[in-house]
Amino acid sequence: MNAGQVGQALADRARKRRRVLDILDAAGRDSLLLTSHTALAWYLDGSRVHISLAGDPIAALLVDRTGDRLITFNNEAERLAAEELPPGVELHTVPWHGQLTDAVGALAGPVGPLAEKSVATELRAARQPMLPGESARYAQLCADAAGAMTDVLSRATPETTEFEVASALAARIVAAGAEPLVLLCNGSSRNAFRHPLATHSPLGRRAMAVVCARRHGLVANVTRWVRFDAGTPDELDAEKRIAAVEADILAATVPGARLGGIFTEIQSAYARHGFGADQWTLHHQGGPAGYAGRDPRATAAAATDDVVVPHQAFTWNPSGPGVKIEDTVQLTAAGTSVLTLDPRWPSSDVNGLPRPLTLQL
């Protein structure tokens, strides 16, 4: 990092620490133990605290009024210290065969730390407004993910298999220093599936690909379609209508709105644009984005009725039979900015935003 980036990182870290101390003040406690991938990546500016993508974090972080103490296993400490930890974080170890919690008592004192799950809502609120440094990292990741989609799908043919698309996307995501958390692809023989894990089936005349890529703890989400003919009238009509559903959702996603209100708009948008009132029940609709694929996934439940704030990121993914649209966006001072944008990909203007079209080859 250059001097400006270092200064920005230090300023961002100080603001994050202040947000956590505010949570402690409100709870009347002196320490908090962060244990989830989402919370750790956010607080540590994207430090990689995993080995297996499917495994638990290899560290826990004790935040108290005197500082930040990371507890990890002795076989992980050297790499974390050399390559991952931001300045000012103390490192403590337990044996590789021990438990991270073994060191917490001695570090936290007799009262013990607040458990992360007990302030999950407050921590989620602390993550919502992205700071300048993480916003810049997120924008670059999203651009890289969108570029990978263009690189791979523009070279596809009807004979290309779904696994070949997924493997090519994985190669580009990893080469960009990111981790492919989700890779989906369906050809024309499997376009009824909303979460299509790849198979050896060829793409045929039309296909969808989905990438969720993580770097610096942040997750970019993007869906793209490609076809090898002019498309049927029904497909072209459905693509326009699902874009209209998304446009209504994005228009409702403004600072001060509540997720519950946006979810109500989602439900009515499907009916308004000819998909039927129950279409929202057939797949999840997305929600706030950032350090988790969705943070949280929006539903009609009161538990996810968060207030939208400036500088927050979102990924909505409305879908219907054979159609879906998905990009990662951020609410900026100038309005909604599409982050997963590649100027090489065909797009159309919808309410002032560039929205992806199906790539026709």
Side-chain angles (χ1 to χ4, degrees):
M1 292 191 292
N2 59 39
Q5 290 172 322
V6 171
Q8 185 63 69
L10 291 173
D12 285 0
R13 286 271 298 124
R15 292 175 68 181
K16 289 178 181 179
R17 179 167 167 78
R18 181 66 260 169
R19 291 176 186 177
V20 172
L21 292 178
D22 288 343
I23 292 172
L24 291 177
D25 289 343
R29 299 289 291 274
D30 290 323
S31 62
L32 168 66
L33 188 67
L34 301 179
T35 55
S36 72
H37 284 293
T38 300
L40 288 165
W42 167 71
Y43 193 76
L44 296 173
D45 280 348
S47 295
R48 294 175 297 176
V49 291
H50 71 276
I51 298 301
S52 167
L53 289 177
D56 294 331
I58 56 168
L61 184 73
L62 184 69
V63 182
D64 65 21
R65 300 188 184 280
T66 64
D68 302 325
R69 298 175 177 86
L70 191 81
I71 305 162
T72 190
F73 300 105
N74 63 336
N75 60 323
E76 309 292 354
E78 185 175 8
R79 180 187 70 84
L80 290 177
E83 300 179 344
E84 301 295 339
L85 294 188
V89 178
E90 293 183 12
L91 191 61
H92 298 262
T93 64
V94 297
W96 64 264
H97 51 83
Q99 299 294 321
L100 295 175
T101 53
D102 291 347
V104 173
L107 294 174
V111 175
L114 201 60
E116 180 185 322
K117 64 181 180 180
S118 68
V119 288
T121 300
E122 291 83 353
L123 283 169
R124 192 168 69 233
R127 292 190 294 269
Q128 286 178 328
M130 286 197 170
L131 296 167
E134 56 193 345
S135 292
R137 292 192 293 271
Y138 203 23
Q140 187 58 61
L141 168 65
C142 288
D144 289 347
M149 280 288 204
T150 303
D151 290 342
V152 171
L153 293 182
S154 63
R155 292 171 173 78
T157 71
E159 291 74 35
T160 302
T161 69
E162 297 166 352
F163 272 135
E164 287 171 338
V165 169
S167 64
L169 286 170
R172 281 164 173 78
I173 295 300
V174 172
E179 299 140 5
L181 299 186
V182 176
L183 290 170
L184 304 176
C185 184
N186 63 7
S188 54
S189 67
R190 303 175 63 243
N191 67 10
F193 303 132
R194 311 269 176 131
H195 270 165
L197 294 174
T199 71
H200 288 293
S201 298
L203 300 185
R205 52 173 295 274
R206 182 171 178 263
M208 177 187 76
V210 178
V211 164
C212 299
R214 183 176 68 186
R215 188 172 66 205
H216 303 301
L218 293 158
V219 183
N221 312 288
V222 58
T223 292
R224 293 292 183 262
W225 289 81
V226 61
R227 63 169 162 250
F228 305 96
D229 59 20
T232 69
D234 285 346
E235 287 169 354
L236 299 176
D237 176 64
E239 288 171 0
K240 289 180 179 178
R241 289 187 292 114
I242 203 65
V245 171
E246 187 207 40
D248 290 351
I249 300 169
L250 290 174
T253 307
V254 295
R258 286 190 171 274
L259 288 187
I262 300 172
F263 199 81
T264 298
E265 177 63 22
I266 291 172
Q267 294 169 304
S268 61
Y270 278 111
R272 188 161 53 244
H273 296 291
F275 285 100
D278 66 342
Q279 190 62 229
W280 69 271
T281 68
L282 303 179
H283 190 58
H284 84 84
Q285 303 301 308
Y291 289 92
R294 302 298 187 274
D295 193 19
R297 183 180 292 182
T299 69
T304 64
D305 197 24
D306 296 351
V307 177
V308 176
V309 300
H311 308 296
Q312 191 172 3
F314 287 85
T315 302
W316 299 110
N317 48 268
S319 64
V323 289
K324 179 189 176 189
I325 189 166
E326 178 181 23
D327 270 305
T328 302
V329 306
Q330 187 176 23
L331 306 183
T332 71
T336 301
S337 174
V338 181
L339 301 183
T340 41
L341 185 65
D342 183 349
R344 299 174 297 165
W345 191 271
S347 65
S348 63
D349 184 283
V350 179
N351 290 351
L353 294 177
R355 305 308 305 121
L357 299 171
T358 296
L359 177 64
Q360 191 165 316
L361 298 176

